[in-house]
Coordinates of all heavy atoms in Angstrom, one line a residue:
Chain B
K196 N -39.5 19.9 23.1 CA -38.7 18.9 22.4 C -38.8 17.5 22.9 O -38.9 16.6 22.1 CB -37.2 19.3 22.4 CG -37.0 20.5 21.6 CD -35.4 20.9 21.7 CE -35.1 22.2 20.9 NZ -33.8 22.6 21.1
G197 N -39.0 17.3 24.2 CA -39.2 16.0 24.8 C -40.5 15.4 24.3 O -40.6 14.3 23.9
L198 N -41.5 16.3 24.3 CA -42.8 15.8 23.8 C -42.8 15.6 22.4 O -43.6 14.6 21.9 CB -43.9 16.9 24.1 CG -44.3 16.9 25.6 CD1 -45.1 18.2 25.9 CD2 -45.1 15.8 26.1
A199 N -42.1 16.2 21.6 CA -41.9 15.9 20.0 C -41.4 14.6 19.9 O -41.9 13.9 19.1 CB -41.0 17.1 19.5
A200 N -40.3 14.3 20.7 CA -39.7 12.9 20.6 C -40.8 11.9 20.9 O -40.9 10.8 20.3 CB -38.5 12.9 21.5
L201 N -41.5 12.2 22.0 CA -42.5 11.2 22.5 C -43.6 11.0 21.4 O -44.0 9.8 21.2 CB -43.2 11.8 23.8 CG -44.2 10.8 24.4 CD1 -43.5 9.9 25.3 CD2 -45.1 11.7 25.4
A202 N -44.1 12.1 20.7 CA -45.1 11.9 19.7 C -44.5 11.0 18.5 O -45.3 10.2 18.1 CB -45.4 13.3 19.2
F203 N -43.2 11.2 18.1 CA -42.6 10.4 17.2 C -42.8 8.9 17.5 O -43.2 8.1 16.7 CB -41.3 10.8 16.8 CG -41.1 11.9 16.0 CD1 -40.3 13.0 16.3 CD2 -41.7 12.0 14.6 CE1 -40.2 14.1 15.5 CE2 -41.6 13.2 13.9 CZ -40.8 14.3 14.3
G204 N -42.4 8.7 18.8 CA -42.3 7.3 19.2 C -43.7 6.6 19.3 O -44.0 5.5 18.9
L205 N -44.7 7.4 19.7 CA -46.1 6.9 19.9 C -46.6 6.6 18.4 O -47.3 5.7 18.3 CB -47.0 8.0 20.6 CG -46.7 8.1 22.1 CD1 -47.6 9.3 22.6 CD2 -47.0 6.7 22.8
G206 N -46.3 7.6 17.5 CA -46.8 7.4 16.2 C -46.2 6.1 15.6 O -46.9 5.2 15.0
L207 N -44.9 5.8 15.8 CA -44.3 4.6 15.2 C -44.9 3.4 15.8 O -45.1 2.3 15.1 CB -42.8 4.7 15.5 CG -41.9 5.7 14.7 CD1 -40.5 5.7 15.2 CD2 -42.0 5.3 13.2
A208 N -45.2 3.5 17.1 CA -45.7 2.2 17.7 C -47.1 1.9 17.2 O -47.5 0.8 17.4 CB -45.8 2.5 19.3
L209 N -47.9 2.9 16.6 CA -49.2 2.6 16.3 C -49.3 1.8 15.0 O -50.4 1.1 14.8 CB -49.9 3.9 15.9 CG -50.5 4.7 17.1 CD1 -51.0 6.0 16.7 CD2 -51.7 3.8 17.7

Side-chain angles (χ1 to χ4, degrees):
Chain B
K196 286 179 182 170
L198 287 170
L201 187 75
F203 280 125
L205 289 175
L207 289 173
L209 277 173

